Amino acid sequence: MAIERTFSIIKPDATRRNLTGAINAVFEKNGLRIVAQKRIQMTKAQAESFYGVHKERGFFNDLVSFMISGPVVVQVLEGEGAVAKNRELMGATNPANAAEGTIRKLFAESIEANSVHGSDSAENAAIEIAYFFAGAEIVG
Ligand code: RTP
Ligand code: MG
């Protein structure tokens, strides 16, 4: 499988509980390299645009409020089949349905406060990476 990149966010519920390192350890133990990373406070406009695909959903306003409720860590992860590998490591959106050992099973608080975001396709990964990082900030 080819080396590819995916976009990840460590969400506010996780930064609040000081879990950045514990989550990064899961990535690194499983062959994903953190090739870019920064801690930011997302603006409301950024969160609304990032999650624009969900704007008609009932949970949209709550999701935006949650994503700006504290700092997040945005990241680029690189490795073999990184998009699918990261989705596997994250586990199901709802931690109640997440497999043992996944990040959401280990750390998520609820379906909303579920600790991590990961791109769901290579195409979206490229869009999401470009939304938060300049090319020179990514060092493979
Ligand atoms: P993500 O985009 O954050 O990686 O998560 P995902 O693909 O597993 O889930 P998605 O369906 O794209 O939903 C995006 C995020 O919205 C919140 N959510 N809340 N209250 C609810 O019913 C609900 N459903 C989804 C979660 O934070 C989810 O990760
Ligand atoms: Mg999603």
Side-chain angles (χ1 to χ4, degrees):
M1 203 181 281
I3 299 288
E4 61 182 12
R5 288 176 173 174
T6 192
F7 177 73
S8 165
I9 304 177
I10 299 178
K11 295 184 179 183
D13 66 287
T15 62
R16 191 177 292 124
R17 287 175 291 146
N18 220 15
L19 292 170
T20 300
I23 291 171
N24 279 345
V26 175
F27 296 144
E28 292 187 331
K29 263 185 227 146
N30 288 280
L32 292 176
R33 305 181 69 83
I34 301 158
V35 296
Q37 174 166 259
K38 57 190 173 187
R39 182 172 164 106
I40 62 167
Q41 172 63 53
M42 250 196 233
T43 65
K44 186 160 185 269
Q46 261 178 327
E48 284 173 347
S49 171
F50 183 76
Y51 278 119
V53 63
H54 294 308
K55 65 176 177 296
E56 307 304 333
R57 309 283 289 276
F59 60 77
F60 180 72
N61 288 336
D62 282 349
L63 173 60
V64 169
S65 300
F66 165 60
M67 290 300 290
I68 65 172
S69 68
V72 299
V73 176
V74 292
Q75 314 176 289
V76 180
L77 307 178
E78 184 180 89
E80 281 198 15
V83 173
K85 166 75 69 73
N86 185 37
R87 296 289 295 190
E88 190 186 314
L89 295 175
M90 288 163 58
T93 308
N94 186 343
N97 302 327
E100 287 302 326
T102 61
I103 292 168
R104 284 166 166 169
K105 180 70 174 190
L106 287 167
F107 302 121
E109 295 181 317
S110 67
I111 189 170
E112 176 180 84
N114 61 2
S115 302
V116 281
H117 161 83
S119 306
D120 57 13
S121 67
E123 190 189 0
N124 282 336
I127 293 167
E128 293 173 2
I129 289 168
Y131 192 66
F132 285 100
F133 289 97
E137 292 179 301
I138 305 167
V139 183

